[in-house]
């Protein structure tokens, strides 16, 4: 009897083909990026509750899980570099076999038709990398163009930097010293052809991965002082890029990343092998990391990387994890942090290496391998909780786990994601943060037949956990930002007219709120807003209307509890650090207005001190930008002048958001003020914090 498949949550179709395996990836801020020949499709997962009505996406058969779709199109021109070799003279001097090798090498002779240069892959940075606190997207095309992208408030994507062009300028200024040192002029091959190949390969990215975010202060020392003062310490993240020549380029991205000047080359070194197939950054303890690089030859190498207090990188000696040149390309990798095991896919096989970091060296404790139920090559891997999901070209998705009790062992189990009897091939798999959802790309595994109907590329999303497990995540997870996929699931079943599960009903008991933690209060708020949306969908009668009004009053009471702690924290921080900045004074006045209007007993002494020190009469009350009338503080949700101009209040500063469009919370859809270049460090810390109401990321 066939095992029942996991329930489907969404399905989308594209006419674009997939150019490369590992074609999709799930971000920490709940987005999916899919790389195709026509562009990178970015799908927002709807964890908020205001826009709960399903929206059609392209030609999708989509439920309410996918909120919107955006596209990063292909570049308008082909990526080429002038590496200082006269191409016309070179072609005249080549032998026939050398000329043939030059023509068929698409890196040295790229296709001039931009339509044939699709996207190879896309990878998300850790959350908090851009100015809006979300993830930065790195994209790589088949013609080796590497770019960084960030989302804007207009739900579009802007290019932060073209790293391929930036690397070319740096290498050209250094006269290609990193590449010319490896040119062997004694083997009789055309020297100019070698120069062209080495220089071009060193500029041609074939794989990438992100590190976690590192924090240092301006003096170059790690400190907790910034955390105590609630001021953001300087941060950076590293982008690891492997080049076709075997060079590794470590990019240091200063956060928040918003322009080209924030990207700089931290380190360039050579691995001693050409044609790398994959790279993975493995987080170690403190400021350590391990770079694992797999090659098409089958060799796998690892390097210890230490991040110094100044933010520079020190790369240790290499460690051969797999020394045999077996021609089984190491195409995919995954790091299991808890087990300290790196799982490597070599064609159709899985190889596991248990590592131990000892000072500046890497020690291989155990090695093992296995072949699962797949017979064709592995096409994608992703880590989900204590297991790794593995997709293969023969239409299988397996869950691989590692057992270290006695000897290191790999166990695989087929994951029933579909009951379809039609043969398909998978091009990658990814999961949400808590493993609640899994997404995969599939195409029909058939030869082309012009008599059959064309079947598009499909992305499917399935639910991998039970409702009981999801409720456990919501109740037990302390960080609210780690519950986004669980909230998305509740919103998803809410679209299907499912009430809030009984296991979560306790969170709605207002008599218990005084003893709730911040995370529990914010979870209760999300459930209340979900209840309000539920009531708004029902046909109105007096009973339903009264129930909705009661829930709205409960929501306001809950918001007062949350806001009380928020105002207490930030009035003290702002009061201690800054009075000279006009925007700081406006925020302090607004928070004091809230204390005076709604909670006069919370901070009476502090409020009076702030009023005296911020004694600028023209800044004592906000003004409408349209009619310049005062905006009194009468509501915590919006502000209105006497002429009726109404503005939503920022969930962080409580000031009105009069600059459009504002930022929004990814969970509750609350608005937040935009950041300005003139903001003080304290104000930056306030505006970069999570949503006051629910703790979600401000997007």
């Amino acid at each position: 009897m066939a095992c029942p498949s996991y329930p489907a949550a969404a399905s989308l179709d594209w006419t674009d083909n997939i150019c490369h395996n590992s074609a999709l990836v799930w971000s920490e801020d709940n987005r999916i990026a899919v790389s195709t020949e026509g562009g990178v499709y970015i799908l927002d997962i709807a964890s908020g509750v205001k826009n709960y009505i399903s929206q059609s996406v392209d030609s999708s058969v989509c439920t309410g899980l996918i909120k919107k779709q955006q596209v990063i199109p292909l570049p308008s021109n082909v990526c080429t570099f002038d590496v200082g070799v006269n191409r016309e003279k070179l072609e005249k001097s080549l032998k026939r076999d050398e000329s043939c090798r030059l023509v068929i090498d698409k890196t040295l002779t790229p296709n001039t038709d931009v339509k044939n240069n699709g996207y190879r892959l896309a990878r998300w940075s850790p959350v908090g990398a851009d100015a809006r606190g979300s993830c930065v997207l790195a994209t790589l095309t088949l013609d080796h163009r590497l770019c960084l992208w960030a989302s804007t408030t207009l739900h579009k994507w802007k290019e932060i930097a073209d790293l391929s062009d930036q690397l070319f300028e740096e290498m050209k200024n250094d006269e290609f010293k990193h590449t010319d040192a490896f040119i062997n002029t004694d083997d009789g091959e055309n020297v100019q052809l070698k120069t062209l190949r080495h220089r071009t390969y060193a500029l041609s990215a074939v794989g990438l991965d992100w590190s976690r975010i590192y924090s240092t202060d301006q003096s170059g020392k790690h400190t907790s002082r910034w955390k105590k003062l609630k001021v953001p310490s300087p941060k950076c993240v590293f982008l690891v890029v492997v080049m076709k020549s075997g060079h590794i380029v470590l990019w240091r991205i200063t956060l928040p990343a918003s322009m080209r000047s924030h990207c700089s080359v931290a380190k360039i070194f050579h691995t001693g092998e050409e044609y790398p197939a994959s790279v993975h950054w493995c987080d170690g303890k403190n400021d350590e990391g391990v770079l694992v690089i797999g090659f098409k030859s089958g060799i796998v190498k690892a390097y210890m990387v230490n991040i110094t207090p100044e933010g520079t990188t020190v790369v240790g000696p290499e460690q051969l994890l797999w020394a045999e040149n077996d021609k089984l390309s190491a195409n995919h990798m995954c790091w299991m942090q808890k087990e300290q095991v790196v799982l490597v896919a070599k064609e159709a096989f899985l190889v596991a290496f248990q590592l131990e970091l000892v000072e500046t060296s890497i020690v291989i404790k155990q090695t093992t391998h296995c072949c699962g139920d797949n017979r064709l090559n592995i096409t994608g891997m992703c880590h989900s909780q204590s297991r790794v999901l593995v997709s293969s070209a023969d239409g299988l998705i397996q869950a691989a786990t590692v057992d270290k009790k006695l000897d290191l062992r790999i166990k695989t189990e087929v994951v029933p994601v579909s009951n379809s009897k039609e043969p398909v091939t998978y091009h990658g798999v990814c999961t949400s943060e808590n493993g609640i959802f899994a997404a995969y790309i599939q195409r029909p595994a058939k030869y082309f037949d012009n008599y059959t109907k064309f079947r598009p590329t499909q992305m499917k999303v399935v639910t991998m956990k039970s409702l009981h497990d999801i409720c456990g995540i919501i109740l037990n997870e302390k960080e609210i930002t780690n519950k986004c996929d669980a909230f998305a699931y509740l919103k998803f079943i809410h679209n299907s007219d499912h009430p809030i599960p009984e296991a979560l009903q306790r969170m709605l008991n207002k008599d218990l709120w005084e003893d709730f933690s911040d995370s529990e209060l914010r979870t209760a708020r999300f459930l209340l807003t979900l209840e309000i949306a539920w009531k708004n969908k029902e046909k109105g009668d007096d009973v339903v209307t009264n129930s909705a009004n009661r829930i709205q009053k409960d929501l306001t009471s809950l918001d007062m509890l949350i806001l009380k702690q928020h105002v207490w924290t930030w009035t003290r921080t702002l009061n201690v650090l800054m009075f000279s900045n006009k925007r700081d004074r406006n925020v302090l006045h607004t928070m004091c207005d809230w204390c005076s209007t709604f909670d006069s007993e919370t901070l009476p002494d502090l409020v009076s001190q702030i009023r005296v020190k911020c004694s600028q009469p023209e800044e004592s009350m906000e003004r409408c930008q349209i009619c310049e009338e005062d905006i009194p503080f009468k509501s915590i949700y919006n502000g209105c002048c006497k002429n009726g101009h109404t503005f939503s209040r920022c969930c962080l500063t409580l000031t009105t958001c009069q600059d459009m469009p504002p930022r929004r919370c990814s969970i509750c859809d609350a608005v937040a003020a935009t950041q300005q270049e003139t903001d003080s460090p304290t104000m930056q810390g306030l505006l970069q914090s999570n949503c006051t109401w629910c703790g979600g990321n401000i997007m």
Side-chain angles (χ1 to χ4, degrees), residues 297-410:
S297 63
I299 294 173
V300 181
K301 296 183 177 182
Y303 297 85
M304 171 79 80
V305 179
N306 290 298
I307 310 300
T308 66
E310 293 78 16
T312 58
T313 56
V314 178
V315 179
E318 73 176 35
Q319 171 67 57
L320 272 173
L321 302 185
W322 191 273
E324 185 177 353
N325 192 341
D326 53 17
K327 306 302 180 185
L328 297 176
S329 180
N331 293 322
H332 310 280
M333 298 177 184
C334 201
W335 173 243
M336 306 177 75
Q337 177 77 25
K338 183 178 179 181
E339 295 81 1
Q340 294 290 289
V341 169
V342 58
L343 202 60
V344 180
K346 290 172 62 66
E347 302 289 2
F349 302 93
L350 287 174
V351 183
F353 305 95
Q354 185 183 1
L355 307 180
E356 183 179 5
L357 308 184
V358 181
E359 295 181 352
T360 59
S361 62
I362 303 170
V363 177
I364 306 174
K365 297 184 69 176
Q366 296 185 79
T367 301
T368 189
H369 69 278
C370 81
C371 182
D373 293 320
N374 60 298
R375 295 298 175 262
L376 297 182
N377 287 355
I378 292 171
T379 58
M381 300 173 68
C382 73
H383 185 244
S384 176
Q385 306 297 301
S386 59
R387 62 181 184 171
V388 174
L389 293 186
V390 180
S391 64
S392 58
D394 48 1
L396 287 179
I397 291 181
Q398 302 172 78
T401 56
V402 172
D403 184 7
K404 301 192 304 178
K405 290 182 179 179
L406 297 175
D407 297 326
L408 186 65
R409 294 182 181 181
I410 305 174

Side-chain angles (χ1 to χ4, degrees), residues 482-553:
N482 295 339
K483 304 179 185 181
C484 285
D485 55 348
F487 287 159
Y489 179 80
L490 289 184
K491 179 259 173 190
F492 166 64
I493 63 174
H494 168 265
N495 271 1
S496 304
D497 294 333
H498 284 271
I500 291 177
E502 291 185 8
L504 301 178
Q505 290 290 337
R506 169 185 168 274
M507 307 290 291
L508 302 179
N509 186 351
K510 62 180 182 180
D511 295 333
L512 303 176
W513 290 346
E514 288 288 349
D515 299 324
F516 274 11
S517 65
D518 288 345
S519 176
E520 290 174 324
L521 286 174
R522 287 166 170 170
T523 300
R525 188 185 191 277
F526 175 83
L527 297 177
L528 279 177
T529 53
L530 204 62
E531 279 282 270
I532 292 174
W534 172 273
K535 296 298 181 183
N536 290 338
K537 289 180 65 176
E538 298 180 3
K539 298 298 182 180
D541 56 26
D542 291 341
V543 175
V544 173
T545 302
N546 292 335
S547 177
N549 292 336
R550 177 185 58 79
I551 297 174
Q552 185 64 56
K553 290 181 180 179

